[in-house]
Amino acid sequence: MLELYGAKGCPYTRELRESLLWDGKEFVEYDVDEDKEALKQLIVLTGGGTVPVLVEDGRVIQVGVSGRGCMVALPSTKEFK
């Protein structure tokens, strides 16, 4: 199953979501602005805070769309624990 990590206000998240839907691919979507656990997982997977990120079987297969993405606010070290 594909996992899409994105942010509601990011146009590239919307573009990737629409592409996945158009292609008929099943995926689970996480909004890292609303879901702090998803944000932590995004950081573990990528080491950063760029969305969208597409993950398959625990492996990152795509970051951004055509080299473009949005930065999300990263938690403080205190919040990340």
Side-chain angles (χ1 to χ4, degrees), residues 15-74:
E15 187 176 340
L16 182 53
R17 178 188 320 109
E18 289 172 1
S19 175
L20 292 169
L21 290 169
W22 179 260
D23 291 341
K25 295 188 178 177
E26 292 186 28
F27 63 96
V28 176
E29 184 172 358
Y30 302 100
D31 183 341
V32 299
D33 285 335
E34 301 293 326
D35 184 342
K36 297 303 177 198
E37 291 304 313
L39 177 58
K40 289 178 184 178
Q41 184 62 21
L42 172 75
I43 295 166
V44 168
L45 288 164
T46 67
T50 300
V51 293
V53 172
L54 193 58
V55 176
E56 184 174 37
D57 299 325
R59 285 188 36 239
V60 174
I61 60 171
Q62 182 176 338
V63 177
V65 175
S66 300
R68 300 168 295 165
C70 299
M71 294 297 297
V72 294
L74 298 177

